Short mmCIF file of all heavy atoms in Angstrom, two decimals:
data_model
loop_
_atom_site.label_atom_id
_atom_site.label_comp_id
_atom_site.label_asym_id
_atom_site.label_seq_id
_atom_site.Cartn_x
_atom_site.Cartn_y
_atom_site.Cartn_z
N PRO D 8 35.20 62.79 -55.62
CA PRO D 8 33.96 62.15 -55.09
C PRO D 8 33.72 60.84 -55.79
O PRO D 8 34.14 60.62 -56.92
CB PRO D 8 32.86 63.17 -55.45
CG PRO D 8 33.50 64.31 -56.14
CD PRO D 8 34.93 64.01 -56.42
N PRO D 9 33.05 59.91 -55.07
CA PRO D 9 32.85 58.57 -55.66
C PRO D 9 31.90 58.65 -56.91
O PRO D 9 30.99 59.47 -56.91
CB PRO D 9 32.18 57.78 -54.56
CG PRO D 9 31.60 58.82 -53.62
CD PRO D 9 32.47 60.01 -53.77
N THR D 10 32.20 57.82 -57.90
CA THR D 10 31.26 57.73 -58.99
C THR D 10 30.21 56.61 -58.77
O THR D 10 30.45 55.76 -57.93
CB THR D 10 31.99 57.47 -60.32
OG1 THR D 10 32.70 56.23 -60.20
CG2 THR D 10 33.01 58.60 -60.66
N LEU D 11 29.22 56.66 -59.61
CA LEU D 11 28.13 55.68 -59.46
C LEU D 11 28.62 54.24 -59.69
O LEU D 11 28.12 53.29 -59.09
CB LEU D 11 27.05 56.02 -60.51
CG LEU D 11 25.61 55.65 -60.27
CD1 LEU D 11 25.16 55.93 -58.84
CD2 LEU D 11 24.76 56.41 -61.28
N SER D 12 29.68 54.08 -60.49
CA SER D 12 30.15 52.73 -60.68
C SER D 12 30.96 52.27 -59.47
O SER D 12 31.10 51.05 -59.22
CB SER D 12 30.98 52.66 -61.95
OG SER D 12 32.01 53.62 -61.95
N GLU D 13 31.45 53.23 -58.68
CA GLU D 13 32.22 52.80 -57.47
C GLU D 13 31.31 52.65 -56.24
O GLU D 13 31.56 51.83 -55.36
CB GLU D 13 33.24 53.89 -57.09
CG GLU D 13 34.37 53.98 -58.08
CD GLU D 13 35.09 55.33 -58.03
OE1 GLU D 13 34.62 56.31 -57.32
OE2 GLU D 13 36.10 55.50 -58.71
N ARG D 14 30.26 53.45 -56.20
CA ARG D 14 29.40 53.40 -55.04
C ARG D 14 27.93 53.76 -55.42
O ARG D 14 27.73 54.63 -56.26
CB ARG D 14 29.92 54.48 -54.07
CG ARG D 14 29.86 54.10 -52.63
CD ARG D 14 30.44 55.25 -51.78
NE ARG D 14 29.47 55.57 -50.73
CZ ARG D 14 29.17 54.82 -49.69
NH1 ARG D 14 29.80 53.65 -49.51
NH2 ARG D 14 28.27 55.17 -48.79
N TYR D 15 27.00 53.09 -54.78
CA TYR D 15 25.59 53.29 -55.17
C TYR D 15 25.16 54.76 -54.97
O TYR D 15 24.28 55.23 -55.63
CB TYR D 15 24.67 52.37 -54.31
CG TYR D 15 24.54 52.85 -52.84
CD1 TYR D 15 23.43 53.57 -52.45
CD2 TYR D 15 25.57 52.66 -51.93
CE1 TYR D 15 23.32 54.02 -51.16
CE2 TYR D 15 25.49 53.14 -50.65
CZ TYR D 15 24.35 53.83 -50.28
OH TYR D 15 24.27 54.32 -48.99
N SER D 16 25.87 55.47 -54.06
CA SER D 16 25.48 56.85 -53.79
C SER D 16 26.30 57.84 -54.58
O SER D 16 26.27 59.05 -54.34
CB SER D 16 25.60 57.13 -52.28
OG SER D 16 26.97 56.89 -51.89
N GLY D 17 27.10 57.36 -55.52
CA GLY D 17 28.04 58.18 -56.23
C GLY D 17 27.38 59.02 -57.35
O GLY D 17 26.17 58.95 -57.58
N VAL D 18 28.24 59.76 -58.01
CA VAL D 18 27.79 60.69 -59.05
C VAL D 18 28.04 60.00 -60.43
O VAL D 18 29.03 59.26 -60.59
CB VAL D 18 28.55 62.01 -58.94
CG1 VAL D 18 29.99 61.87 -59.38
CG2 VAL D 18 27.84 63.10 -59.65
N PRO D 19 27.16 60.18 -61.37
CA PRO D 19 27.39 59.57 -62.69
C PRO D 19 28.62 60.13 -63.33
O PRO D 19 29.04 61.31 -63.04
CB PRO D 19 26.16 60.03 -63.53
CG PRO D 19 25.23 60.63 -62.62
CD PRO D 19 25.90 60.94 -61.33
#
Side-chain angles (χ1 to χ4, degrees):
T10 59
L11 207 43
S12 52
E13 290 159 353
R14 218 179 128 70
Y15 74 101
S16 58
V18 74

